[in-house]
Amino acid sequence: MSADPRKRVVAVIPARGGSVSIPLKNIKELAGRPLIDWCIRSALDSKCIDEVWVSTDHDDIAAVAEKCGAKVHRRAAETATSTASTESAMVDFVKAHPDYDVLCLIQATSPLVMPDHFREALDLFHRQNADSLVTAVRAHRFLWSVDPATGVATAKNYVPESRPRRQDWSGELIENGAFYFTTKALFETSQCRLGGRVVLYEMPEHTLTELDSMVDWEIMKGLCEEHGYKPALGAS
């Protein structure tokens, strides 16, 4: 059940079959489990999400998703192209499944999310009476830009003459795309995952990891073995 029993929370995990960089990435084995299983099991075991759905256009992904415990939504073909936005998949999903108060968008490529992350974020979302929630990681990185006309580089978030020490600087909050919460009222009017009163849930630094190449895959494998959620044996 959701953190607020009056609010029905439904999660959707978009998982199209046309991944180019890593074919069928969403169900490729990662540290002994299909990639998508990591976030499905965390969402289910959080006990704060009423239903977990995978939105897909691919039979094999649908079969794996159901085996992992999720429900399956067969998404429209036009929402599963390489140019379609995630929001288009969300719109397609809620048209078919309008019974929700809060929509939770989960990215299949975020296998390091834990049940506690969902619970804590949803509690924050309700306590702050928010319209939407974004997850982010605090990183101590110096950002630069280069003028394409002149080639001149400029520091964007610090002054090189007074370079801050890590302990003296709060860093930058970087969206990690793990999951989002959006109220039904906001999504119906904006068709966007973020808007209105936005709150931010800060996640551990190791969750800021891309999964777009086989090098990324090997790095993520080690992170999942060290930090990933592992359901109890025999749990369903």
Side-chain angles (χ1 to χ4, degrees):
M1 295 295 292
S2 66
D4 183 341
R6 298 166 297 176
K7 303 290 186 181
R8 178 172 170 78
V9 181
V10 174
V12 59
I13 306 168
R16 67 186 187 90
S19 174
V20 176
S21 58
I22 303 175
L24 286 180
K25 173 169 65 177
N26 292 309
I27 55 173
K28 180 178 171 61
E29 184 177 299
L30 176 67
R33 294 158 57 189
L35 170 61
I36 204 167
D37 183 60
W38 291 88
C39 62
I40 289 174
R41 294 303 300 269
S42 284
L44 290 171
D45 289 356
S46 73
K47 305 301 183 185
C48 68
I49 296 174
D50 295 280
E51 291 182 350
V52 178
W53 291 77
V54 169
S55 172
T56 188
D57 61 327
H58 198 281
D59 289 345
D60 291 348
I61 294 175
V64 171
E66 288 180 336
K67 186 176 180 180
C68 295
K71 298 183 177 183
V72 171
H73 168 72
R74 292 289 185 161
R75 65 198 282 183
E78 62 269 20
T79 73
T81 66
S82 59
T83 57
S85 68
T86 299
E87 266 74 7
S88 70
M90 295 169 69
V91 170
D92 174 71
F93 174 79
V94 300
K95 283 181 178 177
H97 309 282
D99 184 18
Y100 72 97
D101 297 301
V102 177
L103 184 64
C104 177
L105 168 66
I106 305 172
Q107 303 283 21
T109 51
S110 295
L112 296 172
V113 67
M114 303 287 282
D116 278 349
H117 295 152
F118 290 114
R119 288 191 287 264
E120 292 169 2
L122 190 60
D123 181 63
L124 170 67
F125 183 77
H126 287 318
R127 283 190 288 105
Q128 293 292 326
N129 195 28
D131 298 305
S132 56
L133 176 143
V134 61
T135 60
V137 167
R138 190 176 301 276
H140 291 76
R141 299 288 185 268
F142 296 130
L143 306 179
W144 288 76
S145 63
V146 176
D147 187 321
T150 66
V152 173
T154 305
K156 297 179 67 174
N157 65 340
Y158 81 110
V159 178
E161 293 82 0
S162 356
R163 188 182 187 95
R165 300 181 304 166
R166 182 184 179 95
Q167 60 266 37
D168 297 328
W169 180 43
S170 60
E172 299 281 357
L173 286 166
I174 303 174
E175 185 174 343
N176 68 346
F179 62 92
Y180 304 81
F181 290 126
T182 313
T183 64
K184 184 174 187 176
L186 173 66
F187 195 73
E188 284 185 340
T189 56
S190 70
Q191 295 191 342
C192 182
R193 74 189 83 175
L194 293 172
R197 177 175 168 81
V198 183
V199 294
L200 183 147
Y201 175 68
E202 188 172 337
M203 293 181 66
E205 189 170 2
H206 65 261
T207 64
L208 184 62
T209 307
E210 300 294 330
L211 199 49
D212 295 319
S213 70
M214 288 310 300
V215 172
D216 296 337
W217 201 270
E218 289 304 311
I219 294 170
M220 185 65 82
K221 177 182 176 182
L223 288 171
C224 284
E225 290 171 346
E226 180 68 23
H227 300 288
Y229 174 63
K230 301 171 185 66
L233 291 176
S236 60

